[in-house]
């Protein structure tokens, strides 16, 4: 028996199955070099997420707004408590 950590997925994308209108695919958190705003390279935890949306019931702009809010929560989870 292997758990999910035995097969780390860096990036994922999933298919929408009716009656779903969207699906969020989440990869594994990994340590990667990242260039900071000041131009320095630091090792940071990075996660890749992909939102697939059926544009018939959900407008793409609405999906983009949702994704922006979701990423803000991931980047600053303390905001959930405020």
């Amino acid at each position: 028996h292997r758990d999910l950590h035995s097969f780390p997925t860096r990036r994922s994308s999933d298919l929408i199955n009716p009656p779903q209108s969207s699906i969020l695919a989440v990869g594994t958190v990994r340590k990667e070099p990242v260039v900071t705003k000041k131009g320095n390279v630091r090792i940071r935890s990075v996660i890749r997420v992909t939102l697939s949306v059926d544009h018939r019931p959900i407008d793409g702009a609405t999906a983009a707004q949702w994704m922006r809010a979701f990423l803000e929560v991931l980047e600053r989870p303390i905001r959930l408590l405020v």
Side-chain angles (χ1 to χ4, degrees):
H1 174 266
R2 293 187 181 258
D3 61 20
L4 292 176
H5 298 290
S6 299
F7 303 103
T9 303
R10 183 177 183 152
R11 180 171 290 221
S12 176
S13 61
D14 290 315
L15 299 175
I16 302 169
N17 297 306
Q20 297 172 336
S21 58
S22 63
I23 190 165
L24 183 68
V26 181
T28 303
V29 177
R30 301 176 69 131
K31 297 284 187 183
E32 295 183 8
V34 175
V35 179
T36 67
K37 291 179 182 178
K38 295 181 179 181
N40 301 317
V41 177
R42 299 281 187 251
I43 301 299
R44 300 282 191 243
S45 295
V46 176
I47 187 169
R48 295 198 168 48
V49 295
T50 303
L51 179 63
S52 300
V53 177
D54 182 343
H55 286 262
R56 292 172 293 183
I58 298 177
D59 181 57
T62 302
Q65 290 173 338
W66 184 90
M67 190 64 159
R68 189 176 309 115
F70 176 74
L71 293 176
E72 281 184 23
V73 169
L74 284 181
E75 292 171 354
R76 296 177 190 87
I78 192 73
R79 287 186 170 189
L80 291 173
L81 302 175
V82 178

